Amino acid sequence: MAFFEIQQRDSTCAARTGILNLPHGLVHTPVFMPVGTNATVKALRVSDLVELKCEIILGNTYHLYLRPGTEVIEKAGSLHDFMGWHGNILTDSGGFQVFSLATFRKITEAGVEFHSHIDGSTHILTPEKAVAIQTILNSDIQMQLDVCTPWGTERKESEDALSTTAAWLKRADAAWKKAKDSGYRGALFAIVQGNFFKDLRDKSVELTLAVDTPGIAIGGLSVGESPETFVEYLSYTAAQLPVEKPRYVMGIGTPDYILSAIEHGIDMFDCVLPTRTGRTGRVFTRDGNLSIKKLENRLDCGPIDPECQCPVCRGYTRAYLRHLFKTQEILCSILASYHNIYFLQDLVQQARNAVQENRFLPFKNEFLTRYQQKNDSLIQ
Ligand SMILES: [Zn+2]
């Protein structure tokens, strides 16, 4: 079986369904990937992820490299063995966290030097080292080291970032091929940058495609721009990518962004949002997002979402969940995170069904009309 097979394409937009063939099993796309930053999807056990039918989760190279350290994971055998998860894992390269978390960073030709946000210690991450770490983790999909620029970055800096990203891709690709020769089975994805300049996006796509990686991520989106700008640059960039390769957009996790990404032909996405907001008592419902801590839920003996089939909605009331939140009981985070991941898994399954039946756009419009009617937005 090929690395990626497209199963069905919707005739009215770029949405498609497919299957990714990875070392730890098949992944049905489009797919939402829950984020397990510190080798755990926060508040969920591995058995919950299995029950939630997750086929792939995310791990975080920067965090795992600093804590517990790659030697600990190497001793366990792989990140899968270390955390007891036997599905697939995609890991980022650590670049995004170096640029967003580290207390000091300096880009050199070799890579990026940074100070740990934990203890201030100095480290250097190079494209080769990012591949080496992710190979030790035994990631099913690993990402190249890149330079991500935020919304509002000026043209010159954006151009430098994409040039560095392209140069680092060649080095990552060479290191990945060496790892494969030594028996590593994971795939490498390249990352398109170019900030919010269309000609720079064009240039980045051209340089990215010159290196023939198994998959491609569209980076530098969801970095502070408006939803309209996000869609404009997502669709512009996605339209230039080869149809046959899987496409991944990082950092999106609300129904509106997810459905928009699927419409424009994106196959994979991830976000900490469903579990992060779950821990603050915010949950998805078909009628918009809900803050469980609100007074209006105090006497509400109904579920979070009457149509949701998850065990949280089948077994617990809004009044009880509000009580757990108010008393700061750990169970509140667990239940809210479970429901939020279930909700997105269900949404993406419905989206796949709609593409199979060639009715993705009517499905999207119907879902969002209801969802956005009284939306207490989760976007942060
Ligand atoms: Zn539910």
Side-chain angles (χ1 to χ4, degrees), residues 304-305 308-314 339 342:
I304 296 172
D305 182 336
C308 180
Q309 298 301 314
C310 90
V312 179
C313 291
R314 299 299 96 210
H339 163 81
Y342 186 100

Side-chain angles (χ1 to χ4, degrees), residues 7-64:
Q7 297 222 294
Q8 187 78 41
R9 297 177 69 180
D10 194 288
S11 63
T12 56
C13 63
R16 71 258 190 98
T17 59
I19 296 180
L20 269 169
N21 180 15
L22 298 179
H24 288 82
L26 302 180
V27 174
H28 295 81
T29 64
V31 60
F32 174 77
M33 305 180 285
V35 178
T37 301
N38 288 315
T40 168
V41 176
K42 287 192 201 304
L44 297 180
R45 297 171 302 180
V46 162
S47 57
D48 294 327
L49 299 173
V50 173
E51 205 174 272
L52 284 158
K53 298 189 174 65
C54 295
E55 295 171 329
I56 182 167
I57 62 168
L58 237 79
N60 198 292
T61 295
Y62 171 90
H63 289 281
L64 297 171

Side-chain angles (χ1 to χ4, degrees), residues 25-261:
L26 302 180
V27 174
H28 295 81
T29 64
V31 60
F32 174 77
M33 305 180 285
V35 178
T37 301
N38 288 315
T40 168
V41 176
K42 287 192 201 304
L44 297 180
R45 297 171 302 180
V46 162
S47 57
D48 294 327
L49 299 173
V50 173
E51 205 174 272
L52 284 158
K53 298 189 174 65
C54 295
E55 295 171 329
I56 182 167
I57 62 168
L58 237 79
N60 198 292
T61 295
Y62 171 90
H63 289 281
L64 297 171
Y65 163 74
L66 293 176
R67 282 189 309 206
T70 40
E71 65 280 12
V72 177
I73 295 170
E74 193 167 22
K75 178 88 194 311
S78 66
L79 180 54
H80 309 69
D81 291 323
F82 181 58
M83 65 183 286
W85 161 252
H86 299 292
N88 292 291
I89 300 176
L90 180 151
T91 48
D92 64 5
S93 66
F96 183 79
Q97 283 73 27
V98 167
F99 289 98
S100 59
L101 283 181
T103 51
F104 163 85
R105 68 201 66 81
K106 188 171 111 191
I107 299 176
T108 63
E109 209 178 293
V112 57
E113 184 183 322
F114 67 94
H115 291 174
S116 157
H117 73 291
I118 300 165
D119 59 8
S121 53
T122 302
H123 303 267
I124 294 176
L125 195 57
T126 64
E128 293 81 4
K129 190 167 174 184
V131 169
I133 297 170
Q134 296 178 87
T135 302
I136 290 172
L137 301 179
N138 198 23
S139 311
D140 299 278
I141 295 177
Q142 60 168 274
M143 306 302 301
Q144 71 152 120
L145 185 65
D146 66 326
V147 183
C148 180
T149 51
W151 166 251
T153 302
E154 293 193 355
R155 187 183 167 86
K156 174 73 174 75
E157 196 184 334
S158 303
E159 198 164 7
D160 290 348
L162 89 81
S163 299
T164 305
T165 299
W168 287 356
L169 173 60
K170 285 186 191 165
R171 287 166 53 190
D173 185 59
W176 170 65
K177 281 179 176 145
K178 262 192 209 163
K180 278 210 305 181
D181 289 343
S182 305
Y184 171 65
R185 293 169 61 220
L188 173 73
F189 276 28
I191 304 176
V192 174
Q193 291 292 348
N195 203 265
F196 297 92
F197 301 94
K198 287 190 176 158
D199 61 319
L200 296 188
R201 287 272 163 190
D202 294 344
K203 190 174 167 191
S204 186
V205 167
E206 189 191 321
L207 293 170
T208 302
L209 295 185
V211 180
D212 186 23
T213 53
I216 297 169
I218 303 177
L221 290 178
S222 200
V223 289
E225 74 281 13
S226 70
E228 294 74 25
T229 306
F230 166 83
V231 172
E232 184 187 345
Y233 277 81
L234 171 77
S235 56
Y236 181 80
T237 313
Q240 299 185 57
L241 299 179
V243 170
E244 69 279 8
K245 287 194 183 186
R247 304 153 175 180
Y248 165 33
V249 171
M250 298 132 145
I252 58 170
T254 54
D256 44 352
Y257 274 65
I258 287 176
L259 292 178
S260 182

Side-chain angles (χ1 to χ4, degrees), residues 28 30 53 344-354 363:
H28 295 81
K53 298 189 174 65
L344 291 188
Q345 288 287 92
D346 186 55
L347 172 69
V348 173
Q349 177 62 55
Q350 286 183 59
R352 285 197 294 263
N353 293 345
F363 161 73

